mmCIF file of all heavy atoms in Angstrom:
data_model
loop_
_atom_site.group_PDB
_atom_site.id
_atom_site.type_symbol
_atom_site.label_atom_id
_atom_site.label_comp_id
_atom_site.label_asym_id
_atom_site.label_seq_id
_atom_site.Cartn_x
_atom_site.Cartn_y
_atom_site.Cartn_z
ATOM 1 N N ASP A 414 88.930 70.605 100.832
ATOM 2 C CA ASP A 414 88.765 71.944 101.401
ATOM 3 C C ASP A 414 89.216 73.043 100.449
ATOM 4 O O ASP A 414 89.270 74.222 100.817
ATOM 5 C CB ASP A 414 89.533 72.064 102.728
ATOM 6 C CG ASP A 414 91.032 71.808 102.557
ATOM 7 O OD1 ASP A 414 91.471 71.569 101.413
ATOM 8 O OD2 ASP A 414 91.752 71.833 103.570
ATOM 9 N N GLY A 415 89.599 72.663 99.209
ATOM 10 C CA GLY A 415 90.000 73.652 98.216
ATOM 11 C C GLY A 415 91.489 73.917 98.166
ATOM 12 O O GLY A 415 91.960 74.620 97.268
ATOM 13 N N THR A 416 92.242 73.372 99.116
ATOM 14 C CA THR A 416 93.697 73.545 99.099
ATOM 15 C C THR A 416 94.323 72.504 98.161
ATOM 16 O O THR A 416 93.672 71.540 97.733
ATOM 17 C CB THR A 416 94.278 73.387 100.506
ATOM 18 O OG1 THR A 416 93.979 72.052 100.987
ATOM 19 C CG2 THR A 416 93.688 74.409 101.452
ATOM 20 N N TYR A 417 95.599 72.715 97.879
ATOM 21 C CA TYR A 417 96.323 71.807 96.996
ATOM 22 C C TYR A 417 97.557 71.254 97.706
ATOM 23 O O TYR A 417 98.191 71.954 98.513
ATOM 24 C CB TYR A 417 96.780 72.522 95.720
ATOM 25 C CG TYR A 417 95.650 72.844 94.762
ATOM 26 C CD1 TYR A 417 94.909 74.028 94.905
ATOM 27 C CD2 TYR A 417 95.325 71.980 93.733
ATOM 28 C CE1 TYR A 417 93.870 74.332 94.033
ATOM 29 C CE2 TYR A 417 94.292 72.272 92.851
ATOM 30 C CZ TYR A 417 93.568 73.442 93.003
ATOM 31 O OH TYR A 417 92.554 73.723 92.141
ATOM 32 N N ILE A 418 97.881 70.002 97.400
ATOM 33 C CA ILE A 418 99.156 69.425 97.829
ATOM 34 C C ILE A 418 100.108 69.549 96.649
ATOM 35 O O ILE A 418 99.813 69.110 95.537
ATOM 36 C CB ILE A 418 99.008 67.951 98.251
ATOM 37 C CG1 ILE A 418 98.075 67.840 99.459
ATOM 38 C CG2 ILE A 418 100.372 67.350 98.591
ATOM 39 C CD1 ILE A 418 97.837 66.414 99.928
ATOM 40 N N SER A 419 101.253 70.127 96.895
ATOM 41 C CA SER A 419 102.203 70.413 95.824
ATOM 42 C C SER A 419 102.782 69.126 95.229
ATOM 43 O O SER A 419 103.099 68.176 95.968
ATOM 44 C CB SER A 419 103.345 71.273 96.363
ATOM 45 O OG SER A 419 104.422 71.304 95.457
ATOM 46 N N PRO A 420 102.959 69.091 93.890
ATOM 47 C CA PRO A 420 103.644 67.935 93.284
ATOM 48 C C PRO A 420 105.054 67.746 93.847
ATOM 49 O O PRO A 420 105.540 66.622 93.919
ATOM 50 C CB PRO A 420 103.683 68.297 91.794
ATOM 51 C CG PRO A 420 102.563 69.254 91.598
ATOM 52 C CD PRO A 420 102.470 70.044 92.880
ATOM 53 N N GLY A 421 105.699 68.843 94.241
ATOM 54 C CA GLY A 421 107.025 68.734 94.838
ATOM 55 C C GLY A 421 107.023 67.940 96.125
ATOM 56 O O GLY A 421 108.047 67.388 96.527
ATOM 57 N N GLU A 422 105.840 67.858 96.792
ATOM 58 C CA GLU A 422 105.733 67.071 98.021
ATOM 59 C C GLU A 422 105.254 65.653 97.736
ATOM 60 O O GLU A 422 105.813 64.689 98.265
ATOM 61 C CB GLU A 422 104.779 67.745 99.004
ATOM 62 C CG GLU A 422 104.657 66.998 100.324
ATOM 63 C CD GLU A 422 103.756 67.694 101.322
ATOM 64 O OE1 GLU A 422 103.023 68.634 100.927
ATOM 65 O OE2 GLU A 422 103.769 67.297 102.513
ATOM 66 N N PHE A 423 104.228 65.507 96.890
ATOM 67 C CA PHE A 423 103.660 64.163 96.757
ATOM 68 C C PHE A 423 104.346 63.312 95.678
ATOM 69 O O PHE A 423 104.278 62.079 95.740
ATOM 70 C CB PHE A 423 102.145 64.210 96.533
ATOM 71 C CG PHE A 423 101.681 64.710 95.190
ATOM 72 C CD1 PHE A 423 101.730 63.908 94.056
ATOM 73 C CD2 PHE A 423 101.129 65.982 95.071
ATOM 74 C CE1 PHE A 423 101.261 64.370 92.840
ATOM 75 C CE2 PHE A 423 100.663 66.445 93.856
ATOM 76 C CZ PHE A 423 100.737 65.633 92.726
ATOM 77 N N MET A 424 105.031 63.910 94.707
ATOM 78 C CA MET A 424 105.675 63.089 93.685
ATOM 79 C C MET A 424 106.860 62.270 94.228
ATOM 80 O O MET A 424 107.016 61.100 93.864
ATOM 81 C CB MET A 424 106.112 63.951 92.500
ATOM 82 C CG MET A 424 104.962 64.358 91.582
ATOM 83 S SD MET A 424 104.035 62.922 90.945
ATOM 84 C CE MET A 424 105.261 62.189 89.851
ATOM 85 N N PRO A 425 107.720 62.836 95.107
ATOM 86 C CA PRO A 425 108.757 61.984 95.711
ATOM 87 C C PRO A 425 108.161 60.813 96.489
ATOM 88 O O PRO A 425 108.711 59.705 96.486
ATOM 89 C CB PRO A 425 109.521 62.941 96.633
ATOM 90 C CG PRO A 425 109.312 64.290 96.021
ATOM 91 C CD PRO A 425 107.906 64.257 95.476
ATOM 92 N N ILE A 426 107.029 61.046 97.157
ATOM 93 C CA ILE A 426 106.363 59.964 97.877
ATOM 94 C C ILE A 426 105.824 58.932 96.892
ATOM 95 O O ILE A 426 105.873 57.724 97.138
ATOM 96 C CB ILE A 426 105.231 60.528 98.758
ATOM 97 C CG1 ILE A 426 105.813 61.478 99.812
ATOM 98 C CG2 ILE A 426 104.434 59.411 99.418
ATOM 99 C CD1 ILE A 426 104.765 62.213 100.622
ATOM 100 N N ALA A 427 105.320 59.426 95.755
ATOM 101 C CA ALA A 427 104.830 58.503 94.718
ATOM 102 C C ALA A 427 105.959 57.634 94.194
ATOM 103 O O ALA A 427 105.774 56.434 93.926
ATOM 104 C CB ALA A 427 104.193 59.296 93.582
#
Side-chain angles (χ1 to χ4, degrees):
D414 59 2
T416 61
Y417 288 86
I418 297 178
S419 166
E422 182 178 13
F423 71 77
M424 284 304 291
I426 298 173

